[in-house]
Amino acid sequence: MYIMNHAIKMLLMVSPFIVNVFLIIKYIRSSDLFYLRFFYILLGSGFMNHVLKEFVFKPLMGNKKYPILGMGARPTGATNCGLFYDKHNTISKSYGMPSGHTQFAAVFSTISILKVLETSQPYHMKVFECIILILFIVSVAQSRILLKCHTLQQTLVGGLIGIFIGYKSYKYT
């Protein structure tokens, strides 16, 4: 059971990489510009997450703990919080607020849900796909908390920012 849980956590850890590769392959196979735009939106979201961490939340929150928002810094001793597993178990040096993985999952899922809702497939299939995509956001957020890379508040803020970016990007493009 431990190996299964560990494997799932590691898969969720590299999910941004896997999704981006998938989108590039979909674009190459179909020549549909939607997938290329989707890829660029996810890259832009990652850049925006970095800007938010370093130039907004870090200066505003520092290492203090705030009511409702909690703390901005990563939990004490946070290790292996990047995209890939590091066997040396190095302490993460990046700021915690907002969770980039959760933001990524929320952008991806929001755009995917909006795309699914526009399809002509049966209603029950749309509902099923939307539930899967929502569970993807929840599972990524939960894995970030279980790996002790983020607090609940950091994942919630990352998710809300991701939903906003996904919605606005989809409506704009």
Side-chain angles (χ1 to χ4, degrees):
M1 190 67 168
Y2 169 78
I3 293 173
M4 179 74 132
N5 287 339
H6 188 69
I8 291 170
K9 287 178 197 170
M10 293 304 110
L11 182 63
L12 291 170
M13 181 186 255
V14 298
S15 62
F17 177 76
I18 294 168
V19 167
N20 280 323
V21 169
F22 170 77
L23 288 173
I24 292 297
I25 291 169
K26 284 286 280 186
Y27 169 68
I28 290 169
R29 291 191 67 209
S30 69
S31 297
D32 186 346
L33 283 176
F34 170 79
Y35 297 107
L36 188 61
R37 283 191 213 111
F38 200 170
F39 172 76
Y40 285 130
I41 290 167
L42 290 172
L43 285 182
S45 171
F47 176 75
M48 188 177 295
N49 181 268
H50 177 74
V51 169
L52 287 170
K53 282 183 180 191
E54 295 301 319
F55 301 107
V56 177
F57 286 102
K58 192 174 188 178
L60 287 175
M61 297 181 75
N63 291 326
K64 296 178 186 168
K65 190 171 186 176
Y66 292 91
I68 300 172
L69 276 181
M71 61 184 185
R74 288 191 186 271
T76 306
T79 58
N80 278 315
C81 296
L83 192 56
F84 299 104
Y85 182 76
D86 180 5
K87 66 181 177 181
H88 301 297
N89 227 11
T90 56
I91 301 289
S92 180
K93 294 172 185 70
S94 65
Y95 201 65
M97 179 69 88
S99 167
H101 277 79
T102 308
Q103 181 179 318
F104 179 92
V107 171
F108 172 78
S109 293
T110 301
I111 292 172
S112 297
I113 286 169
L114 292 169
K115 184 76 168 168
V116 163
L117 293 176
E118 287 185 354
T119 65
S120 60
Q121 63 184 340
Y123 178 76
H124 69 280
M125 286 304 297
K126 290 181 183 183
V127 170
F128 177 73
E129 288 182 31
C130 290
I131 289 170
I132 295 297
L133 290 162
I134 291 167
L135 288 175
F136 177 62
I137 301 171
V138 172
S139 62
V140 168
Q142 183 184 24
S143 76
R144 304 312 290 164
I145 295 167
L146 291 175
L147 288 169
K148 297 181 180 19
C149 290
H150 290 286
T151 63
L152 174 64
Q153 292 91 337
Q154 292 167 357
T155 59
L156 288 173
V157 171
L160 291 172
I161 291 169
I163 290 169
F164 177 79
I165 292 170
Y167 180 79
K168 287 297 187 181
S169 298
Y170 188 82
K171 292 301 179 185
Y172 177 74
T173 58

